[in-house]
Amino acid sequence: AQSVTQLDSQVPVFEEAPVELRCNYSSSVSVYLFWYVQYPNQGLQLLLKYLSGSTLVKGINGFEAEFNKSQTSFHLRKPSVHISDTAEYFCAVSSTNAGKSTFGDGTTLTVKP
Amino acid sequence: DGGITQSPKYLFRKEGQNVTLSCEQNLNHDAMYWYRQDPGQGLRLIYYSQIVNDFQKGDIAEGYSVSREKKESFPLTVTSAQKNPTAFYLCASSKSHRGDQPQHFGDGTRLSIL
């Protein structure tokens, strides 16, 4: 079984400030990890994914995430946020021996001017 | 452009009525998924299909049914047995059902009870 915990349900931040959205996972086997973004009344879009190799993964819109196997974490970061980054962010995990993804409950990022 | 089309965007259901949500993809993906999203919660898997003419129950399949007669189409029926159907429904697809394949999502259907 696998699970995902997003540690913050809401993260308010001022424009041009850095942000970190935290994600911890649990799995008995090796995993693949994903971050998705959802704008209001839309579906999810892939931001980035970790499959293997380098633990620092760069995605779209200036986001990056670091896979930490010892701490079972996959935190999402951006050095300087924009108003347009206001959205809900989901962390997801799937295992290397099954295709089903498990999603976290989401973190609402609100960027204030 | 390739993508996933869900229709309608908004749907209203009367008590005791079955309704069907449409999902079509032109990405040539083998795997398709239906999720339910409630406020403040993540996505919960209803059904998934790895290939045409095959589908499996997800975590919350009770009160729902699906079919996969064509590769491009994966409709979801919300039956009258689903007692709390008000939610945002998302359809997704991936190249295959392998765990390393990211999912592509439609823009959702919001279902409400009259």
Side-chain angles (χ1 to χ4, degrees):
Chain A
Q2 60 199 23
S3 65
V4 177
T5 303
Q6 292 185 239
L7 297 165
D8 307 292
S9 59
Q10 298 193 32
V11 173
V13 64
F14 287 105
E15 192 174 19
E16 297 183 7
V19 71
E20 178 180 79
L21 307 184
R22 298 180 295 166
C23 172
N24 285 355
Y25 69 91
S26 171
S27 176
S28 56
V29 298
S30 296
V31 296
Y32 302 115
L33 293 154
F34 306 85
W35 275 100
Y36 292 87
V37 61
Q38 183 181 33
Y39 299 103
N41 294 312
Q42 293 186 24
L44 280 66
Q45 303 172 31
L46 180 69
L47 272 179
L48 48 78
K49 60 187 177 185
Y50 170 78
L51 303 181
S52 65
S54 173
T55 57
L56 183 63
V57 180
K58 293 191 183 298
I60 63 171
N61 301 342
F63 284 93
E64 63 181 32
E66 185 156 19
F67 172 58
N68 188 320
K69 188 174 182 180
S70 62
Q71 298 194 4
T72 61
S73 67
F74 190 54
H75 300 334
L76 181 71
R77 302 186 183 102
K78 186 170 183 177
S80 176
V81 293
H82 303 291
I83 298 287
S84 59
D85 292 323
T86 295
E88 188 149 20
Y89 293 79
F90 290 93
C91 181
V93 61
S94 61
S95 65
T96 55
N97 61 3
K100 284 170 54 177
S101 289
T102 300
F103 289 80
D105 286 345
T107 296
T108 301
L109 174 65
T110 303
V111 181
K112 298 181 284 187
Chain B
D1 281 344
I4 297 182
T5 301
Q6 290 188 242
S7 62
K9 194 167 181 67
Y10 300 94
L11 188 57
F12 299 92
R13 194 191 89 169
K14 295 180 180 178
E15 294 287 345
Q17 186 180 49
N18 293 354
V19 291
T20 297
L21 285 60
S22 170
C23 178
E24 303 278 332
Q25 54 101 356
N26 60 4
L27 298 166
N28 200 32
H29 285 174
D30 283 325
M32 296 188 75
Y33 309 83
W34 273 107
Y35 293 94
R36 171 180 172 139
Q37 185 177 22
D38 295 284
Q41 298 186 33
L43 279 64
R44 292 185 288 169
L45 183 64
I46 304 172
Y47 269 96
Y48 66 100
S49 168
Q50 298 184 56
I51 200 165
V52 177
N53 292 321
D54 179 70
F55 50 83
Q56 284 82 40
K57 293 182 179 180
D59 302 318
I60 56 165
E62 185 175 349
Y64 300 97
S65 66
V66 293
S67 63
R68 185 87 188 275
E69 296 176 1
K70 298 187 301 182
K71 187 174 186 177
E72 304 79 24
S73 179
F74 192 42
L76 173 74
T77 296
V78 184
T79 74
S80 56
Q82 173 48 243
K83 297 307 178 189
N84 184 23
T86 297
F88 190 50
Y89 290 87
L90 287 164
C91 179
S93 71
S94 60
K95 284 185 181 178
S96 71
H97 190 54
R98 282 171 36 181
D100 63 345
Q101 296 296 314
Q103 295 181 19
H104 299 250
F105 287 81
D107 281 340
T109 293
R110 191 168 299 279
L111 176 62
S112 302
I113 299 301
L114 286 178

